[in-house]
Amino acid sequence: MSAVVTGIGVVAPNGIGHEAYWSATLAGVSGVGPIERFDASGYRCCLGGEVDDAAIAGVPGRLAAQTDRWTQLGLAGTELALADAGLDPSTVDDYRLAVITASSSGGNEFGQREIERLWAHSPEHVSAYQSIAWFYAATTGQVAIRHGMRGPCGVVVAEQAGGLEALSDARRALDSGAVAVVTGGTEAPLSPYALVCQATSGRLTDAADPADAYRPFAADANGHVPGEGGAMLIVEQAGRAAAPYGTIRGYANTFDPRPGSGRPPSLVRAIRLALQAAHVTSEEIDVVFADAAGVPELDRIESDALRAVFGPHGVPVTAPKTMTGRLYAGGASLDVATALLSLRHQIIPPTIGPAPDPRYELDLVLREPRPATLRNALVLARGYGGFNSAMVLGAAPGNTDGAARSDGPHRTDD
Amino acid sequence: MTRRVAVTGVGVVAPGGTSRKEFWDLLTEGRTATRAITLFDAAGFRSRIAAECDFDPIAAGLSDEQARTLDRAAQFALVAAREAVGDAGGLGFAAPERLGVSLGSAVGCTMGLEQNYVAVSGRGRHWLVDADAAVPELYHHLVPSSMAAEVAWEVGAEGPVKLVSTGCTSGLDAVGHGARLIADGQADVVLAGATDAPISPISVACFDAIRATSPSNDDPEHASRPFDRRRNGFVLGEGSAVLVLEDAATARARGAHVYCEVAGFAHRGNAYHMTGLRPDGAEMAEAIRVALAEARIDPSAVDYVNAHGSGTKQNDRHETAAVKTSLGPRAYEIPMSSIKSMIGHSLGAIGAIEVVACALSMEHGVVPPTANLHEPDPDCDLDYVPLHAREQRSDVVLSVGSGFGGFQTAMVLAAPGRAG
Amino acid sequence: MPEFTVGTLTRIMRECVRDAEVDLSADRIDTSFEELGYDSLAVLEIVARINQELGARLPDEAIETTSTPRQALAVVNDALAERI
């Protein structure tokens, strides 16, 4: 049984819908800027990747009233993904449809509003919807209800690594008989309390200008920019869709040893296990979508791992998330979406920002996209605390013939 | 590959019993641990009852730093994990790369988030909260996977580590996913369980708003009354349970004590409503059917059902219907009890606590009762083991759970070698 | 506190489902909340917001008999009358 991605729904700071997102990404157009949702000028990190409100304009009022922006982004992304896949859930036995999302910080803005009402006023001021809007399972629940999906639904939390974990769980659900799974994730971390919480991780940039912020692998990397949005994906067994984006070939996740144990970080082992699971050698990986933490110590660990597996400058590496910020529960899914678009169009999207520190010995695709023959992509995602996930995606058959092709979601000439 | 999964150690932090032994004593004696809330001043709330753990982190073995910086739910999980590891005889036999964690939690570090919110917002006065008043570990409270990380660090796990957050089925789901890691060959040993510590104003207020919790504030000891005609909502609880799951062949080879095997696990969603349940319980029945099929055990062979039994009007009817549908006429002969009657509903944690109760039930040959059941609801007419524990050897136990978001989960535990 | 009016209830009902089109014209005021498109949770939200406006909780028994907007208005105004 081969698991393929048949639909992509992107809600990103630099594009809504995968066509707009992909055009912006190839052109190096960033969605990062000063946070506008609230006055963040008093905070050390005042930059964010914000999604245009147009993304959620289609969420019905009844649903909008009982959900956080995070879930609304997920609902919007799911609509886009289902349309992109050409999948009408009502035509499938609903026990064979499932929803498995990654969460990270949940319904931040909704929750802050309600907890404020509680403490500033009284318990009676808490909404009846608080019980269903803030908790980490809200998006999976609402998507499943909206589209009538009664199969094995799930929610995983691993911060930025969760999206790969969810996709792996989706593949397993297909193995057990599901026909299609809505997976991926979104995040809405740009509200004051959530931002203040993130700041304590020590990983947020304090650069005031987007041009200076979030510079993974640079000698002067100074932290990341937080972003909202993500991507929802439709995963199915191979065979229904005429032109899937690509195949999930292998996945592995490991956890770093406890700090101070003296044992080495385990990202390199996650990469090797993923390659093994995919039955590919490192030579068969044509591009790496890096985790790109943008924090020097973490960048060093990642570049060490890449060097160990691929050799110095051994594989093209890119981090389009420099144009969106780190999207936590939405991040890895957006990376997967981007990798699949890469495989479809046979072109590597760029990273924006300065050149990498030469000691990392990285072939970082900078500023301009790079056409290439791409058979397999490796996506890496690390979650705060020590979560390491690695996934190998394979191009759809026929994609690798010749140079980059023009855009189009349903090619049938393969 | 599908390997068999054995339970070789269990640990519990629960209301009325912050250790495995105390927990089991409470259950078998049919005592309740529900009382007036003491963890905060609950005057002004509709439901002022909870099942609280009498928990002292230092006395429980945590360090000063852990007591000061970890959320209460994380503290529970560490203590439960330690007890489970001790019960399994230590994990020295496990290679770190093959040791994983699967932890569930519905509401993560709610207390840590709320307490810090009060500080940074000036008790809700400022939308633009004060970053300078934030404690250094605040990000750990924001993203609940930090709790899985704590357990992983505690046991030295470097294999797959996951945090499952599917509302009130998080506990069952985390144990199920943990078992799958072993069955699928991704890990050989997994610390699987769940934790929640939601007894905090925001949680109590949000359940007040939807009238889900019992307002029987004048009689807290008897407020949790699953399947009883006069039931009026669940009692909010807190706690944690962790199990050591191992590849059964390895467990046998090292002479480990085995409580039971995780023989079947299945979950479905009702895709109906975020909080409402249809009375027919169809999706729970389907989860039960699939879990039994995975275990290759006939429905007629179930010896005991550990119910979700939250004590809301709708749940207990929904679940009764689901059990009748999936187990057929024999459902009337199978004892089915809810320990939430004694330890309340600890949201994401309770599913794992209930799995431990099932394992102990199989170990000791005793089925725990449903406390406070004096007048059964006519629509709930199964054998809910009212008031008194019952001696019964159980080789096959079914544990079910249901939660906000429509999640429905079933797990089948079987005596070693019993599953097909 | 002034009488709890149809206008107040209309505003609350609009906010609960983010629909500015909700109105309580004569025929709607006796239509069940369910038929008006408010599920159990939305009705609880209406009650929660009424409680906020009142600064007190409507009694449980009263809520059980509130299935139409007219009944909700009656229940609320009864509760207000008891305060005088």
Side-chain angles (χ1 to χ4, degrees):
Chain A
M1 197 282 306
S2 201
V4 295
V5 177
T6 59
I8 293 175
V10 171
V11 282
N14 62 346
I16 299 164
H18 67 74
E19 289 95 345
Y21 166 73
W22 185 240
S23 300
T25 299
L26 288 179
V29 172
S30 172
V32 170
I35 293 171
E36 287 172 5
R37 271 190 90 64
F38 62 94
D39 178 7
S41 58
Y43 297 118
R44 281 191 64 186
C45 174
C46 58
L47 298 178
E50 292 178 300
V51 175
D52 193 302
D53 286 346
I56 55 174
V59 176
R62 183 188 57 81
L63 267 181
Q66 59 176 258
T67 51
D68 179 78
R69 183 178 175 83
W70 145 65
T71 293
Q72 291 161 22
L73 289 165
L75 288 165
T78 300
E79 292 269 319
L80 291 169
L82 286 170
D84 191 46
L87 178 66
D88 175 0
S90 68
T91 63
V92 182
D93 171 1
D94 43 5
Y95 275 133
R96 298 211 176 257
L97 296 169
V99 183
I100 301 176
T101 64
S103 269
S104 189
S105 55
N108 293 303
E109 191 176 81
F110 194 109
Q112 184 178 345
R113 195 178 62 232
E114 295 304 317
I115 202 171
E116 180 177 90
R117 294 164 67 82
L118 166 62
W119 285 92
H121 303 290
S122 69
E124 290 87 7
H125 281 78
V126 172
S127 164
Y129 299 139
Q130 167 66 8
S131 61
I132 61 163
W134 168 78
F135 77 134
Y136 308 96
T139 298
T140 284
Q142 292 285 12
V143 169
I145 291 166
R146 190 168 194 211
H147 298 288
M149 300 179 163
R150 295 195 292 162
C153 297
V155 183
V156 291
V157 179
E159 211 236 19
Q160 179 88 6
L164 293 190
E165 181 80 18
L167 191 50
S168 169
D169 285 350
R171 184 176 58 157
R172 199 194 184 286
L174 293 172
D175 273 340
S176 307
V179 161
V181 183
V182 176
T183 186
T186 53
E187 191 81 56
L190 301 177
S191 49
Y193 187 42
L195 186 65
V196 162
C197 290
Q198 287 164 73
T200 68
S201 72
R203 295 186 181 182
L204 294 188
T205 185
D206 56 4
D209 184 340
D212 302 326
Y214 195 22
R215 338 184 84 192
F217 306 114
D220 58 351
N222 58 31
H224 71 261
V225 169
E228 59 175 7
M232 301 300 287
L233 310 167
I234 310 301
V235 193
E236 303 182 53
Q237 299 183 21
R240 183 198 67 88
Y245 287 90
T247 306
I248 301 168
R249 298 194 65 176
Y251 172 75
N253 62 328
T254 62
F255 194 77
D256 282 337
R258 66 170 80 88
S261 69
R263 294 172 60 81
S266 58
L267 175 63
V268 62
R269 188 159 51 83
I271 296 171
R272 293 197 200 281
L273 288 172
L275 295 181
Q276 236 172 58
H279 303 289
V280 298
T281 62
S282 58
E283 288 77 30
E284 295 172 86
I285 300 292
D286 298 312
V287 60
V288 176
F289 284 76
D291 172 66
V295 169
E297 194 206 320
L298 297 169
D299 286 347
R300 182 188 58 73
I301 291 170
E302 185 165 31
S303 62
D304 283 351
L306 290 172
R307 193 190 303 108
V309 176
F310 299 100
H313 306 283
V315 66
V317 178
T318 190
K321 56 168 65 77
T322 42
M323 297 178 238
T324 61
R326 282 177 82 78
L327 308 190
Y328 308 113
S333 329
L334 184 58
D335 279 343
V336 167
T338 314
L340 290 168
L341 290 164
S342 248
L343 292 171
R344 166 162 286 186
H345 301 295
Q346 295 288 289
I347 188 164
I348 303 172
T351 306
I352 61 170
D357 187 329
R359 69 189 164 115
Y360 293 139
E361 298 182 287
L362 279 182
D363 173 16
L364 193 63
V365 178
L366 268 181
R367 288 174 222 121
E368 295 293 322
R370 183 192 301 176
T373 299
L374 302 175
R375 298 161 293 167
N376 299 291
L378 173 69
V379 179
L380 301 182
R382 288 182 295 180
Y384 182 87
F387 299 85
N388 300 300
S389 282
M391 178 169 278
V392 176
L393 301 164
N399 261 22
T400 54
D401 304 337
R405 304 182 184 226
S406 59
D407 202 350
H410 292 295
R411 291 163 44 242
T412 54
D413 55 336
D414 297 320
Chain B
M1 91 162 76
T2 302
R3 302 191 294 177
R4 298 168 83 108
V5 180
V7 176
T8 58
V10 304
V12 183
V13 172
T18 53
S19 73
R20 184 175 61 248
K21 179 183 187 312
E22 287 174 16
F23 168 67
W24 187 239
D25 286 348
L26 182 95
L27 260 45
T28 51
E29 291 163 25
R31 289 180 282 119
T32 67
T34 56
R35 66 186 184 205
I37 290 174
T38 68
L39 284 170
F40 67 93
D41 178 2
F45 289 78
R46 174 179 178 269
S47 174
R48 301 188 285 282
I49 312 161
E52 298 174 328
C53 296
D54 290 317
F55 178 78
D56 176 341
I58 304 296
L62 298 181
S63 70
D64 287 340
E65 190 190 348
Q66 288 172 324
R68 191 172 37 82
T69 63
L70 293 182
D71 181 83
R72 187 174 169 86
Q75 294 174 8
F76 287 169
L78 281 184
V79 172
R82 282 189 190 165
E83 187 178 36
V85 169
D87 192 31
L91 296 179
F93 65 94
E97 302 85 7
R98 300 291 299 167
L99 176 58
V101 173
S102 177
L103 190 70
S105 181
V107 296
C109 303
T110 283
M111 290 181 86
L113 281 176
E114 180 154 36
Q115 286 158 10
N116 281 282
Y117 168 77
V118 171
V120 303
S121 69
R123 288 180 78 95
R125 272 195 294 279
H126 310 295
W127 179 253
L128 298 179
V129 300
D130 179 6
D132 294 332
V135 296
E137 61 274 6
L138 191 51
Y139 191 54
H140 295 241
H141 297 328
L142 185 70
V143 185
S145 42
S146 63
M147 298 199 287
E150 289 287 341
V151 173
W153 289 332
E154 169 69 22
V155 302
E158 296 177 26
V161 173
K162 74 196 291 167
L163 188 297
V164 172
S165 194
T166 43
C168 298
T169 58
S170 300
L172 271 177
D173 290 339
V175 176
H177 286 298
R180 281 192 181 157
L181 287 173
I182 295 171
D184 293 349
Q186 289 160 257
D188 297 326
V189 184
V190 173
L191 277 282
T195 184
D196 265 310
I199 303 170
S200 197
I202 187 62
S203 310
V204 176
C206 88
F207 291 122
D208 274 356
I210 56 170
R211 325 178 97 67
T213 38
S214 169
S216 297
N217 302 306
D218 52 343
D219 189 14
E221 285 77 26
H222 305 110
S224 179
R225 5 183 35 125
F227 307 113
D228 190 280
R229 193 178 55 77
R230 295 153 307 162
R231 66 189 184 280
N232 58 12
F234 69 86
V235 170
L236 187 62
E238 61 173 356
S240 173
V242 175
L243 302 93
V244 175
L245 304 181
E246 274 182 68
D247 161 43
T250 309
R252 206 163 34 245
R254 72 176 184 94
H257 164 251
V258 175
Y259 284 90
C260 57
E261 291 182 10
V262 180
F265 163 62
H267 55 120
R268 296 292 179 266
N270 68 19
Y272 169 65
H273 193 267
M274 289 297 281
T275 58
L277 297 168
R278 269 188 293 247
D280 67 0
E283 298 80 14
M284 180 183 272
E286 176 69 2
I288 293 170
R289 185 188 71 73
V290 175
L292 286 167
E294 181 184 10
R296 289 194 265 186
I297 288 176
D298 193 87
S300 62
V302 173
D303 295 314
Y304 164 57
V305 179
N306 182 280
H308 182 66
S310 57
T312 65
K313 279 269 183 282
Q314 66 168 4
N315 174 77
D316 298 355
R317 266 180 212 143
H318 166 270
E319 179 167 16
T320 295
V323 167
K324 288 178 183 176
T325 301
S326 55
L327 302 186
R330 210 180 103 65
Y332 285 92
E333 296 159 37
I334 302 171
M336 169 162 149
S337 65
S338 165
I339 67 171
K340 291 182 179 73
S341 59
M342 296 176 274
I343 62 168
H345 185 3
S346 44
L347 308 183
I350 195 67
I353 296 174
E354 286 167 354
V355 174
V356 169
C358 293
L360 293 171
S361 171
M362 296 168 82
E363 175 83 358
H364 298 293
V366 175
V367 157
T370 302
N372 302 323
L373 180 52
H374 296 282
E375 281 185 53
D377 180 340
D379 287 343
C380 299
D381 55 349
L382 299 177
D383 172 10
Y384 305 105
V385 195
L387 307 180
H388 307 292
R390 189 183 303 170
E391 286 194 357
Q392 172 184 292
R393 177 189 151 145
S394 303
D395 286 341
V396 177
V397 172
L398 172 68
S399 184
V400 294
S402 178
F404 283 7
F407 299 94
Q408 312 293 327
T409 300
M411 177 169 288
V412 177
L413 301 168
R418 173 62 186 79
Chain C
M1 155 156 205
E3 186 193 336
F4 191 88
T5 65
V6 172
T8 312
L9 182 58
T10 304
R11 171 175 55 77
I12 287 175
M13 288 174 66
R14 286 180 179 165
E15 285 165 5
C16 288
V17 292
R18 297 221 187 146
D19 182 359
E21 309 294 313
V22 170
D23 81 85
L24 290 180
S25 52
D27 54 336
R28 299 242 177 91
I29 204 163
D30 289 303
T31 306
S32 75
F33 283 115
E34 196 183 337
E35 281 172 69
L36 290 172
Y38 292 80
D39 67 7
S40 55
L41 207 48
V43 172
L44 285 164
E45 178 65 357
I46 291 170
V47 170
R49 289 186 188 233
I50 290 174
N51 289 340
Q52 289 159 30
E53 302 266 342
L54 290 181
R57 278 195 197 89
L58 288 175
D60 279 14
E61 315 81 63
I63 290 153
E64 264 124 54
T65 59
T66 316
S67 35
T68 68
R70 189 189 295 280
Q71 287 169 355
L73 285 169
V75 158
V76 174
N77 285 305
D78 284 348
L80 285 172
E82 271 169 38
R83 287 183 177 181
I84 296 165

